[in-house]
Amino acid sequence: MALLSVLTPVLAVVLCLVIGFMLVRSRETETTSTPSGKTEGAKKADFRPWVDQDLQDDTEITAEEEEDGDWADSHEEEDLLHVPYSPPRYPEETMLQRSKDLYTLMNQRRSVRFFSPEPVPREVIDNVIRTAPSGAHTEPWTFVVVSDPDTKHQIRQIVEEEEEVNYRQRMGDKWVNDLAKIKTNWIKDYLDVAPYLVLVFKQTYGILPNDKKRTHYYNEISVSISCGILLAALQNVGLVTVTSTPLNCGPQLRILLKRPANEKLLMLLPVGYPASDATVPDFKRKPLDDVMVHI
């Protein structure tokens, strides 16, 4: 008993040291560096709700991805033929007039959320999608054009379910308040009404006829540029759209539309004629001097 009474204070000290060590280690674990070099604590602080979690993939191929699958080498592809290129050259007066005409046309473009169910010729949609350019002509995209009413309604259900969570939880009060002036919320009637929904998927890599994977460099930039050209092409034929980027809907929509794992949803565009009573916010462009620097 005497020995026990002597050891009791020592055991208590040892126990306190063990508990203290465990607490320190637990705090270190909370801020352990991730493979990207950022700490978990920093990741929480840097959380950006406007970034779709399904789009967290870059052009760069990790070592793990490179080992997973058979990637094509550039020398395996056929030699590329180079041909003469002579685009039309216009007189300066014509150039000036064409630039003014295009500006006038595009200055009339607005994001529209009120659509007419009036049908649009399918060939028009085909032609506007064909206009998109891409880096090295890789065309790292898939445009899924949906006109089937049942599929459109399923898309609407998926989008509205996620968007309600976005508005109520993910986006925060400031973002929701900023959107209030344009009178938008998680209810997306136009997904049923517009005759077409164009879902734009970026391909993080391509698949060649021999089943090898082809690297798509700058795929997101190429697809984003193509979407801008698509907006201009739609305006050119008198159709309207709204650039919809429904957060965190990509995986569900990819499954619904039977798209492969290398495709990620970047944008959803309802397309059609505007409703007869459509309204848009009365936004004004910035003066040119505010957006351009001439050196």
Side-chain angles (χ1 to χ4, degrees), residues 7-292:
L7 292 177
T8 298
V10 176
L11 292 173
V13 171
V14 171
L15 182 60
C16 290
L17 290 174
V18 170
I19 294 174
F21 178 78
M22 292 176 65
L23 288 173
V24 170
R25 286 302 301 271
S26 67
R27 290 182 179 179
E28 289 177 353
T29 301
E30 290 178 358
T31 57
T32 298
S33 293
T34 64
S36 64
K38 294 184 178 180
T39 63
E40 292 292 340
K43 284 180 68 177
K44 291 180 181 179
D46 294 340
F47 174 65
R48 297 178 296 168
W50 57 87
V51 177
D52 194 312
Q53 300 304 307
D54 191 46
L55 293 176
Q56 299 297 309
D57 43 33
D58 299 323
T59 292
E60 296 180 1
I61 303 167
T62 64
E64 182 179 349
E65 290 173 325
E66 195 165 10
E67 293 175 1
D68 180 22
D70 194 5
W71 290 86
D73 292 327
S74 58
H75 67 266
E76 295 182 45
E77 300 181 37
E78 296 180 3
D79 291 336
L80 185 63
L81 178 66
H82 285 232
V83 297
Y85 176 64
S86 299
R89 180 166 178 170
Y90 304 105
E92 289 188 6
E93 295 80 5
T94 304
M95 291 171 61
L96 181 60
Q97 187 58 50
R98 288 173 66 92
S99 68
K100 289 180 178 179
D101 291 344
L102 180 60
Y103 171 74
T104 299
L105 174 68
M106 294 310 302
N107 196 40
Q108 296 168 356
R109 203 207 77 80
R110 294 292 185 274
S111 290
V112 177
R113 295 173 173 82
F114 305 98
F115 288 80
S116 165
E118 183 181 355
V120 173
R122 169 64 187 277
E123 188 177 1
V124 172
I125 303 300
D126 293 346
N127 287 336
V128 296
I129 288 177
R130 284 185 179 134
T131 61
S134 61
H137 210 65
T138 54
E139 298 178 286
W141 52 58
T142 301
F143 293 89
V144 180
V145 180
V146 180
S147 57
D148 174 66
D150 291 338
T151 306
K152 288 196 300 178
H153 189 66
Q154 290 180 70
I155 291 172
R156 177 182 175 181
Q157 289 178 316
I158 291 172
V159 170
E160 288 187 342
E161 181 178 349
E162 284 294 330
E163 282 284 79
E164 184 173 5
V165 177
N166 292 334
Y167 272 82
R168 293 188 182 276
Q169 299 178 20
R170 298 183 182 125
M171 290 162 52
D173 292 340
K174 183 180 185 306
W175 192 358
V176 172
N177 291 335
D178 287 344
L179 290 175
K181 63 183 179 182
I182 60 176
K183 300 179 181 179
T184 182
N185 55 36
W186 62 83
I187 305 300
K188 312 294 183 185
D189 297 336
Y190 53 75
L191 295 178
D192 272 325
V193 178
Y196 291 104
L197 302 182
V198 179
L199 292 92
V200 186
F201 288 83
K202 71 170 188 177
Q203 298 174 0
T204 54
Y205 57 84
I207 301 177
L208 299 174
N210 61 4
D211 291 330
K212 288 191 175 183
K213 297 178 181 179
R214 180 188 186 188
T215 305
H216 280 166
Y217 298 103
Y218 305 108
N219 54 74
E220 187 161 327
I221 294 177
S222 284
V223 180
S224 299
I225 292 173
S226 77
C227 290
I229 299 296
L230 177 57
L231 296 181
L234 290 171
Q235 179 70 14
N236 184 56
V237 297
L239 298 176
V240 298
T241 187
V242 56
T243 50
S244 169
T245 53
L247 294 178
N248 300 312
C249 297
Q252 295 181 74
L253 293 176
R254 185 168 64 239
I255 292 171
L256 173 66
L257 300 172
K258 298 180 174 60
R259 303 312 310 159
N262 66 316
E263 295 186 5
K264 308 289 186 181
L265 179 65
L266 190 68
M267 195 170 292
L268 191 164
L269 301 171
V271 175
Y273 299 107
S276 58
D277 58 350
T279 59
V280 296
D282 188 19
F283 289 129
K284 305 295 183 185
R285 286 183 180 270
K286 295 178 180 179
L288 184 59
D289 288 344
D290 286 0
V291 298
M292 183 185 75

